[in-house]
Amino acid sequence: MDFTFSEEQQAAAEAARGVFADVAPDSVPSPSMVVGAVADDFDRALWARLAEADLLSLLLDPEEGGAGLDAIALCLVLRESAKVLARVPLLEHSAAVATIQAHGGPEPRSALVARAGRGELVLTVAASGRTGHDPAELAVTARQDGDAWLLDGVQTAVPWAQTADHIVVPARSTTGDSRTLLAVVPRGQEGTDIAEQISTTGERLGELRLESARVPAASVIDSDGAWEELRDLLTTGTCALALGLGERVLRMSGEYTGKREQFGFPVATFQAVAMQAADRYIDLRAMEVTLWQAAWRIATRAPGALPAAGDVAVAKIWAAEGVRRVVQTAQHLHGGFGADVEYPLHRYHAWAKQLELSLGPAAAHEEALGDLLAAHPLS
């Protein structure tokens, strides 16, 4: 089997490294040092550089001005972004635009896709549900009213909700077969309200409240599997972010323990330190192989013993548990420096906790994997 990346995928990763090279993880206030959000908006200057490098249109077709690449290329870019804690909605935006391109009608495709690929519009996704643990598609109902749909419900922890131009909202239809729809809701739409929430990272989240919010039928995606594909791509992208963050943290730990001395020797040479670092390296390699398996299933639609959601669940289990262990070990090996607000590790720790719980903790995905195994017994 050949696990090497294509030239196009490697070029995307190289372009991302170039864009992120000058990003400072502590370029905004620490979440430990401010009351409320660390900033009112995401990094617009970085967003513009990503657009100039054509990294916002990776998944779009060439006729839409995109590169025509796949989930693997996106995950490579996300991996690089997490190493510097890039404050941009790259995952949510890319996944939403790709879904609209693949499943949306002519009107949203013509109005949103090309402009979003150029960074002129920003999209996000309400994927956390009402509590952050219940299925997102059950948090909002949609009832048909003439040539429109009326949405009612609450979606919590919507990333970048206050600054995105459109929010993709999954909703359960109350008519017919109770299928899941995806409504593309403009920010400020009548019948919507966004209450501010603050994430573990200090970034702004939004609690999206919908009360008979009217969305034209042309802006609603009702094709089978659209929500499941979007959710799998978001979850796999979260795993890529966790991997990139974990790799950077382990590197920080190696650099620190290689310089800090006790009894005249670098602490990295002590067996107890080396064994802990080795365990975390194994975690990262497991996170990596399960990530690429999930991304490959999404990108190729290759058949398997389980649906692609099974590989996504395995990847998220490893990502959630692995990134938590990596940052906890790093805090231990750094001693007091790990909690020093002038040292970047505490910020990585906060982001790791957010990624661990985003789109469900390991336990939620273990339950989902169990349901898939029960529904698809392995012969």
Side-chain angles (χ1 to χ4, degrees):
M1 298 179 69
D2 184 1
F3 290 102
T4 57
F5 300 113
S6 68
E7 291 184 4
E8 293 81 6
Q9 291 164 348
Q10 294 180 60
E14 183 63 31
R17 283 189 286 271
V19 171
F20 296 127
D22 297 327
V23 176
D26 283 344
S27 58
V28 294
S30 163
S32 302
M33 298 296 288
V34 297
V35 177
V38 296
D40 292 331
D41 199 359
F42 60 85
D43 190 337
R44 293 280 179 172
L46 178 58
W47 188 253
R49 295 201 298 273
L50 288 168
E52 291 172 2
D54 295 327
L55 293 175
L56 301 182
S57 57
L58 282 177
L59 304 185
L60 300 186
D61 296 333
E63 52 267 29
E64 299 287 357
L69 296 181
D70 54 21
I72 297 173
L74 176 62
C75 286
L76 284 167
V77 173
L78 291 168
R79 181 188 192 179
E80 297 301 323
S81 76
K83 294 178 182 178
V84 298
L85 306 183
R87 300 182 54 259
V88 287
L90 180 59
L91 169 58
E92 297 83 7
H93 178 85
S94 300
V97 176
T99 300
I100 293 171
Q101 176 185 253
H103 298 282
E107 187 172 322
R109 285 204 303 268
S110 61
L112 300 178
V113 170
R115 293 185 64 195
R118 296 191 296 268
E120 298 170 5
L121 294 174
V122 179
L123 279 70
T124 189
V125 184
S128 295
R130 187 180 182 89
T131 66
H133 297 279
D134 299 327
E137 64 271 21
L138 301 181
V140 175
T141 59
R143 66 185 191 277
Q144 201 156 13
D145 181 36
D147 59 351
W149 291 85
L150 300 180
L151 306 181
D152 292 279
V154 176
Q155 289 279 358
T156 194
V158 181
W160 319 106
Q162 292 86 350
T163 50
D165 297 292
H166 293 80
I167 303 173
V168 178
V169 181
R172 183 58 59 90
S173 170
T174 59
T175 59
D177 55 2
S178 299
R179 64 192 185 280
T180 298
L181 312 173
L182 291 176
V184 183
V185 182
R187 178 165 49 88
Q189 171 73 27
E190 184 178 356
T192 67
D193 181 64
I194 298 176
E196 184 172 80
Q197 298 176 312
I198 307 297
S199 73
T200 303
T201 65
E203 301 292 345
R204 297 174 79 194
L205 300 173
E207 182 183 75
L208 176 65
R209 301 167 182 169
L210 304 115
E211 185 173 351
S212 297
R214 190 177 186 86
V215 180
S219 297
V220 174
I221 299 171
D222 63 356
S223 61
D224 291 339
W227 162 238
E228 289 75 15
E229 290 180 18
L230 174 57
R231 183 184 58 201
D232 285 350
L233 182 55
L234 288 169
T235 306
T236 304
T238 301
C239 297
L241 293 170
L243 175 62
L245 185 147
E247 289 175 330
R248 182 68 185 96
V249 167
L250 186 61
R251 179 181 172 186
M252 291 168 62
S253 299
E255 292 171 349
Y256 178 77
T257 56
K259 295 176 181 177
R260 180 187 170 196
E261 292 189 358
Q262 284 187 355
F263 312 112
F265 297 94
V267 297
T269 63
F270 299 172
Q271 186 178 39
V273 173
M275 290 178 66
Q276 291 182 72
D279 286 341
R280 300 296 76 82
Y281 176 82
I282 293 172
D283 277 334
L284 288 173
R285 297 290 70 79
M287 291 166 64
E288 183 176 21
V289 71
T290 54
L291 162 66
W292 298 131
Q293 172 68 12
W296 174 76
R297 286 292 304 276
I298 292 174
T300 63
R301 301 179 183 272
L306 293 177
D311 292 290
V312 173
V314 171
K316 187 57 166 70
I317 292 166
W318 272 104
E321 297 285 358
V323 76
R324 174 177 53 80
R325 288 192 290 260
V326 168
V327 294
Q328 287 179 342
T329 298
Q331 289 282 12
H332 175 64
L333 296 181
H334 277 81
F337 276 99
D340 188 340
V341 294
E342 296 184 358
Y343 189 74
L345 182 58
H346 77 286
R347 185 181 289 275
Y348 282 87
H349 198 156
W351 280 61
K353 179 55 66 175
Q354 180 74 20
L355 291 171
E356 176 190 349
L357 301 178
S358 292
L359 301 176
H365 290 275
E366 289 167 353
E367 182 177 346
L369 181 61
D371 291 341
L372 284 171
L373 288 169
H376 303 81
L378 302 180
S379 57

